[in-house]
Amino acid sequence: MATFKGIISQALPEQSGVSRNGNNWRKRTYVLTYDSSNANYPKAVVFDVMNGKIDELNIQLGVEYEVEVDFSVREYQGKFYQSASAWKATPTQQPAPQPAPQPQYVPAQPSWPADNNQELPF
């Protein structure tokens, strides 16, 4: 497990499908840039969030997070494949509070007729 702190710089579209055993799955891939001190070569990590964790973590583009990532390696036909999955993502900044909406002044419409030829009721 590794922890990275940075800004979500990309959020790829959600993918979904059905596994070999017939279970539905969902996956969303994110890029977290954790060091942009060298603009030409920023350091980033790519990780996936699976199934219900997508909704639970609700990771937003452009927001800074502290993300805990598990790495795994699999071998297939002599080649090795690495994957990174996040299981925890905590925003490091609180969203800016939204100001309460101010009531709008709407002038009241007079209840008497607008015809100036009639007498007023008082």
Side-chain angles (χ1 to χ4, degrees), residues 10-71:
Q10 289 189 29
L12 280 61
E14 185 176 304
Q15 298 176 335
S16 62
V18 179
S19 69
R20 281 183 246 169
N21 14 350
N23 296 325
N24 291 329
W25 59 268
R26 297 170 39 215
K27 176 177 87 166
R28 184 120 193 235
T29 301
Y30 299 91
V31 178
L32 181 128
T33 303
Y34 62 88
D35 181 3
S36 39
S37 58
N38 183 340
N40 293 329
Y41 303 103
K43 294 181 182 176
V45 63
V46 176
F47 62 90
D48 297 324
V49 178
M50 298 293 294
N51 300 322
K53 283 286 187 185
I54 296 170
D55 301 322
E56 181 184 329
L57 298 178
N58 193 26
I59 297 174
Q60 300 295 313
L61 185 65
V63 176
E64 184 177 70
Y65 286 89
E66 187 170 288
V67 179
E68 297 194 28
V69 179
D70 285 331
F71 294 94

